[in-house]
Amino acid sequence: MGVKMMFEILFCIFTALLLWEFAGYPVFMGIYQKLRKTNRKFEPHSPFVSIVISVFNEEKMIESRLENLLSLNYPRDKYEIIILDDKSQDSTVELIKNFLANNELKEPEIKFIEKNHRLGKSNSLNMAKEYITGDLVLSSDVNSLFDYNILVEL
């Protein structure tokens, strides 16, 4: 067997492998999928989501932010809102309390935690761990408004 013959055999083997990879295998898997019977039913999955927001002097945005969170396209019993105030010095706390007092919706649950002294956002987020009950946690700022479908698309 000569060197030329060996290269021709290797060329044929590699050509066959390339054809199998790019044509044969996809066709085989397509046929296999059509012939295979599946009994699996895919149900929509809606995990419970905890949305955590740390606030400090956010009187200009807090009401629109809360309205944004209540208008999300997600089952209301599948998410909660946790707001941690980092000792705001403006009317943020009063606005949140008024909003909660006037909110007639029982769901989603809104937990409002006031801290006694200012320790910063990272401390607030660490403190929120005590109140989180969700399968997923979504942390956000007050000035970031969510798209209507954000929780559905997670």
Side-chain angles (χ1 to χ4, degrees), residues 124-154:
S124 293
L125 296 177
N126 286 328
M127 185 179 172
K129 292 189 293 187
E130 299 174 30
Y131 303 96
I132 292 171
T133 59
D135 302 318
L136 296 175
V137 178
L138 185 59
S139 173
S140 178
D141 290 328
V142 173
N143 58 0
S144 302
L145 298 179
F146 286 159
D147 181 74
Y148 178 71
N149 289 319
I150 189 167
L151 296 179
V152 174
E153 295 174 358
L154 275 178

Side-chain angles (χ1 to χ4, degrees), residues 44-97:
H45 179 62
S46 300
F48 192 82
V49 180
S50 295
I51 302 172
V52 180
I53 299 178
S54 175
V55 299
F56 176 71
N57 292 346
E58 298 287 353
E59 66 185 1
K60 293 179 182 174
M61 287 292 297
I62 191 65
E63 288 177 315
S64 62
R65 182 65 172 125
L66 290 171
E67 289 170 6
N68 171 251
L69 292 172
L70 292 177
S71 69
L72 297 178
N73 178 26
Y74 202 71
R76 289 187 179 275
D77 62 334
K78 293 288 188 172
Y79 73 100
E80 67 182 353
I81 302 166
I82 302 169
I83 305 166
L84 291 112
D85 179 67
D86 200 22
K87 197 70 174 161
S88 292
Q89 298 168 347
D90 61 1
S91 62
T92 301
V93 173
E94 291 81 29
L95 290 171
I96 293 171
K97 287 181 178 179

